[in-house]
Amino acid sequence: MQSDRILLAHGSGGTMMRDLINDVFMTGFSDDILMRMDDAASLDFPGSRLAFSTDTYVVNPLFFPGADIGRLAVCGTVNDVATSGAKPLYLSVGFVLEEGFPVEDLRRILVSMRDAAAEAGVRIVTGDTKVVEKGHGDGCYINTAGVGVLAEGLDLSGSNCQAGDVVLLSGTLGDHGIAVISTREGLTFSTDIESDAAPLGALIAAVLAVAPDTRCFRDPTRGGLASTLNELAGASGVCITIDETLVPVREQVRGACEMLGYDVFQVANEGKMVTVVPASQAEAALAAMRDAPYGEDAAIIGEVAESPAGRVYVQTAFGATRIMDMLVGEQLPRIC
Amino acid sequence: MQSDRILLAHGSGGTMMRDLINDVFMTGFSDDILMRMDDAASLDFPGSRLAFSTDTYVVNPLFFPGADIGRLAVCGTVNDVATSGAKPLYLSVGFVLEEGFPVEDLRRILVSMRDAAAEAGVRIVTGDTKVVEKGHGDGCYINTAGVGVLAEGLDLSGSNCQAGDVVLLSGTLGDHGIAVISTREGLTFSTDIESDAAPLGALIAAVLAVAPDTRCFRDPTRGGLASTLNELAGASGVCITIDETLVPVREQVRGACEMLGYDVFQVANEGKMVTVVPASQAEAALAAMRDAPYGEDAAIIGEVAESPAGRVYVQTAFGATRIMDMLVGEQLPRIC
């Protein structure tokens, strides 16, 4: 690289873009399919059904305790693919870089992506880079799309939940959102709170192995647990009730939420999974989650009833019941 | 929709995002897989090999003669997938919207995407929307990723070209780049020049049907024909020579390039395909291209020799030979 900053010419399709791809991206990812440099990756696909998902990541700041935009961009899409019950296999990655962005920061992000992909067992096989003028974009936006192979007959969906089912959560709430907002605002309690960004494919596979009638998985990212549960209640036409005392939340996160006026149920997570299973398979699913990577704090947090359809309730520590609303307006912009 | 402009809350994961998805995206695309609203789309996949590609589109302006960012985002990725010889099946789409972006413009872009997807025979099955603060982003960026099914045994690659092969181009050069730059700069000759953005899957399939030993397809987008041919010459370790008099270019585009000081070989195209075939199959490939949609101006433009490896030459109208260089630096930022 002849420049330590991204220039408009790095997005030109000419020699400087070729050099950026060779020196930075190919060195960073070093996958032999990617290195063929064809316009599309040609890939083996071992099944007759696939899962396909995408997310763009615009988190601000790019680096924060526990993770960065690169780890987030791999884990987030891997988890979305995995929620279908599929085994994630391949990722695409598209960068929008702002003129002037430090090449060292890009290299650091690529290392994060490579490590997260290795941990998740997926390959980054195709990519694209665009450069926009200084003052547009914001350093680095990343889109990833993911493809996974889906077992025959598996049909997980947010619309499958039934009265009598049990709701599980794979660990503590709020860590990612509070880690990012603390860093952005320069708050001092940030030192103890780290993003939970993690790939959850192995945890999902472990649950499916012992709870074959699992209704669905959903990762409570933007909008937090409240959005996830309201979406499930709406899609399935059921009522979900959560026992607040059963929901794992770190002390520091609870404190930060109180101080900042956030509802922890509405704060984003990037390494947690919600799953709904029949009551008869709930204990097995819980045990499998707790044994799986990133599942040690898993808990049964609630149950599904018939009515009122589309509603989510919280039973509080004081025995009262309140509605768990979806976020109205904006709480934490650019959280993922 | 309660607002006619995009607000930060439309990216929150809360109720306003849900309303945006329901009112604008679902209405715009209306695909029953997309409307299941699960985090990943579950899809039938009729083969054992797949092609996978992605591009992010940051074109400025968003609307220009002949197309817009939406048509571009569908056609560009469909064409990248199709270059492998695959039949494109599914697209993901990720939006980065700037706070304040008019919802009417978004709806117009979605109509373009829906129409282009229908023309290309692909389904938009999964998506994501992020919103960034006013002054970041630039109205609307779109990432698409595409999945196609690849026939057993097909192995097209830019590294397959051999001495004696023939180079074909599916139509006129430079239309897209000149249409966009004319609109951006408010130049008056823009009235006659329209972007060529078009899906080329049918054209590729038609060529493959009659030229089974086709070496590769490549769409000459950013960096134009010059980047494409230099990439092929480099990947295959061959020399490519083009006869300038055989390359189709519209009179208005040629004039605009002369006026603006652009080399038409370096200007972006979004509805053209370069293909390299064995000499024995060149006439059949040409005839198939000319009969296919968007191929009526197809031409044989050059040939492949052994050495000097990695070089691309142009024979000019005056009988001289010059090197066709890749673009150095930046010519037309934000062209796609």
Side-chain angles (χ1 to χ4, degrees), chain B residues 6 10 27 37 50 55 58 64 70 91 98 143 179 188 194 202 254 270 272:
Chain B
I6 293 294
H10 286 126
T27 311
M37 305 262 294
L50 67 78
D55 259 341
V58 298
F64 43 85
L91 289 186
E98 183 182 3
N143 175 283
T188 49
E194 294 201 335
R254 195 184 300 279
E270 291 291 343
K272 296 297 158 10

Side-chain angles (χ1 to χ4, degrees), chain A:
Chain A
M1 287 290 302
Q2 297 191 308
S3 165
D4 61 359
R5 301 247 164 204
I6 293 295
L7 307 175
L8 278 177
H10 285 126
S12 66
T15 55
M16 289 192 64
M17 182 163 136
R18 180 194 61 197
D19 295 346
L20 177 74
I21 290 172
N22 288 335
D23 296 351
V24 180
F25 289 103
M26 291 302 149
T27 311
F29 289 147
S30 71
D31 184 291
D32 58 352
I33 294 176
L34 189 69
M35 291 174 84
R36 282 180 59 151
M37 305 262 293
D38 285 318
D39 283 347
S42 298
L43 304 160
D44 291 326
F45 189 76
S48 63
R49 294 175 69 215
L50 67 78
F52 189 24
S53 190
T54 191
D55 260 341
T56 308
Y57 300 85
V58 299
V59 65
N60 171 22
L62 299 174
F63 303 94
F64 43 85
D68 60 24
I69 191 173
R71 181 169 173 84
L72 202 59
V74 170
C75 296
T77 295
V78 160
N79 290 345
D80 280 343
V81 170
T83 56
S84 67
K87 179 177 165 52
L89 295 177
Y90 305 116
L91 289 186
S92 68
V93 55
F95 291 90
V96 178
L97 301 176
E98 184 182 3
E99 185 184 10
F101 188 65
V103 173
E104 270 316 299
D105 285 357
L106 178 59
R107 288 189 197 273
R108 201 174 144 196
I109 290 166
L110 297 184
V111 167
S112 262
M113 295 187 79
R114 188 196 60 199
D115 291 351
E119 185 190 347
V122 296
R123 293 175 68 172
I124 295 169
V125 293
T126 188
D128 174 59
T129 304
K130 292 293 188 304
V131 181
V132 295
E133 307 90 332
K134 198 160 182 61
H136 296 288
D138 197 6
C140 175
Y141 299 151
I142 305 178
N143 175 282
T144 48
V147 169
V149 59
L150 197 52
E152 206 62 54
L154 199 60
D155 186 29
L156 304 181
S157 172
S159 59
N160 289 346
C161 306
Q162 298 173 22
D165 287 349
V166 167
V167 182
L168 285 80
L169 174 65
S170 68
T172 57
L173 280 191
D175 304 69
H176 174 75
I178 297 301
V180 171
I181 198 70
S182 308
T183 310
R184 195 191 301 169
E185 305 297 336
L187 303 177
T188 49
F189 58 74
S190 69
T191 47
D192 289 313
I193 303 174
E194 295 201 335
S195 168
D196 57 350
L200 300 177
L203 180 143
I204 285 176
V207 171
L208 280 176
V210 300
D213 298 316
T214 294
R215 312 302 188 198
C216 62
F217 295 95
R218 196 67 74 101
D219 55 336
T221 56
R222 272 183 294 177
L225 183 70
S227 276
T228 295
L229 294 182
N230 274 283
E231 285 165 19
L232 297 181
S236 295
V238 295
C239 172
I240 297 177
T241 302
I242 297 303
D243 181 338
E244 190 174 42
T245 64
L246 301 180
V247 179
V249 181
R250 285 183 212 286
E251 261 328 298
Q252 308 97 303
V253 170
R254 194 184 300 279
C257 283
E258 278 170 14
M259 209 173 100
L260 298 165
Y262 295 145
D263 178 347
V264 74
F265 293 140
Q266 296 181 342
V267 176
N269 312 279
E270 291 291 343
K272 296 297 160 4
M273 200 53 67
V274 171
T275 185
V276 179
V277 299
S280 61
Q281 297 173 7
E283 285 301 330
L286 178 65
M289 259 193 187
R290 286 187 171 162
D291 278 347
Y294 304 109
E296 65 273 16
D297 296 321
I300 290 174
I301 61 166
E303 58 192 17
V304 179
E306 202 163 325
S307 67
R311 274 291 160 107
V312 180
Y313 291 113
V314 191
Q315 287 179 334
T316 70
F318 310 105
T321 298
R322 63 175 177 87
I323 289 171
M324 186 191 282
D325 265 330
M326 279 180 86
L327 181 62
V328 178
E330 178 57 77
Q331 185 188 61
L332 298 170
R334 310 272 305 271
I335 207 70
C336 62

Side-chain angles (χ1 to χ4, degrees), chain B:
Chain B
M1 287 289 299
Q2 297 191 308
S3 166
D4 60 359
R5 301 249 163 202
I6 293 294
L7 307 176
L8 278 177
H10 286 126
S12 65
T15 54
M16 288 191 64
M17 181 164 137
R18 180 194 61 197
D19 294 346
L20 178 74
I21 291 172
N22 287 337
D23 295 351
V24 180
F25 289 103
M26 292 301 150
T27 311
F29 289 147
S30 70
D31 184 290
D32 57 353
I33 294 176
L34 189 69
M35 290 174 84
R36 280 179 59 149
M37 305 262 294
D38 285 318
D39 284 348
S42 298
L43 304 161
D44 290 327
F45 189 75
S48 62
R49 294 177 68 217
L50 67 78
F52 188 25
S53 190
T54 191
D55 259 341
T56 309
Y57 301 84
V58 298
V59 65
N60 171 21
L62 299 173
F63 303 94
F64 43 85
D68 60 26
I69 190 173
R71 182 169 173 85
L72 203 59
V74 169
C75 296
T77 295
V78 160
N79 290 346
D80 280 343
V81 169
T83 58
S84 66
K87 178 177 166 52
L89 295 177
Y90 304 117
L91 289 186
S92 68
V93 54
F95 290 90
V96 178
L97 302 176
E98 183 182 3
E99 184 184 12
F101 187 65
V103 172
E104 268 316 297
D105 285 358
L106 178 59
R107 289 188 197 272
R108 199 174 144 197
I109 290 166
L110 298 184
V111 167
S112 263
M113 296 188 79
R114 187 196 60 198
D115 291 350
E119 185 189 347
V122 296
R123 293 175 69 173
I124 295 169
V125 292
T126 187
D128 174 59
T129 304
K130 293 293 189 302
V131 180
V132 294
E133 306 90 333
K134 197 159 184 62
H136 296 288
D138 198 6
C140 174
Y141 299 151
I142 304 179
N143 175 283
T144 48
V147 169
V149 60
L150 197 51
E152 207 60 55
L154 198 61
D155 186 30
L156 305 181
S157 173
S159 60
N160 289 347
C161 306
Q162 298 174 22
D165 287 349
V166 167
V167 181
L168 285 80
L169 174 65
S170 67
T172 57
L173 280 190
D175 305 68
H176 174 75
I178 297 300
V180 172
I181 198 71
S182 309
T183 310
R184 196 191 302 170
E185 306 297 336
L187 302 176
T188 49
F189 57 75
S190 69
T191 45
D192 290 312
I193 303 174
E194 294 201 335
S195 168
D196 58 351
L200 300 176
L203 181 142
I204 286 177
V207 170
L208 279 175
V210 300
D213 298 315
T214 295
R215 313 302 187 197
C216 61
F217 296 94
R218 196 67 75 102
D219 56 336
T221 56
R222 272 184 294 177
L225 184 69
S227 276
T228 294
L229 295 181
N230 274 282
E231 285 167 17
L232 297 181
S236 294
V238 296
C239 171
I240 297 177
T241 302
I242 296 304
D243 182 338
E244 189 174 41
T245 65
L246 302 179
V247 178
V249 180
R250 284 182 212 287
E251 261 328 297
Q252 308 97 302
V253 170
R254 195 184 300 279
C257 283
E258 279 169 14
M259 211 173 98
L260 298 166
Y262 295 145
D263 179 347
V264 74
F265 293 140
Q266 296 181 341
V267 176
N269 312 279
E270 291 291 343
K272 296 297 158 10
M273 200 53 67
V274 171
T275 185
V276 180
V277 299
S280 61
Q281 297 174 7
E283 285 301 331
L286 179 65
M289 257 190 189
R290 285 187 171 163
D291 279 347
Y294 305 108
E296 65 273 18
D297 297 320
I300 289 174
I301 61 166
E303 58 193 16
V304 180
E306 203 163 321
S307 67
R311 273 290 161 110
V312 180
Y313 292 113
V314 191
Q315 287 180 334
T316 71
F318 310 105
T321 298
R322 64 174 176 88
I323 290 171
M324 186 192 283
D325 267 329
M326 277 180 87
L327 180 62
V328 178
E330 176 59 77
Q331 186 188 60
L332 298 170
R334 311 270 306 269
I335 207 68
C336 63

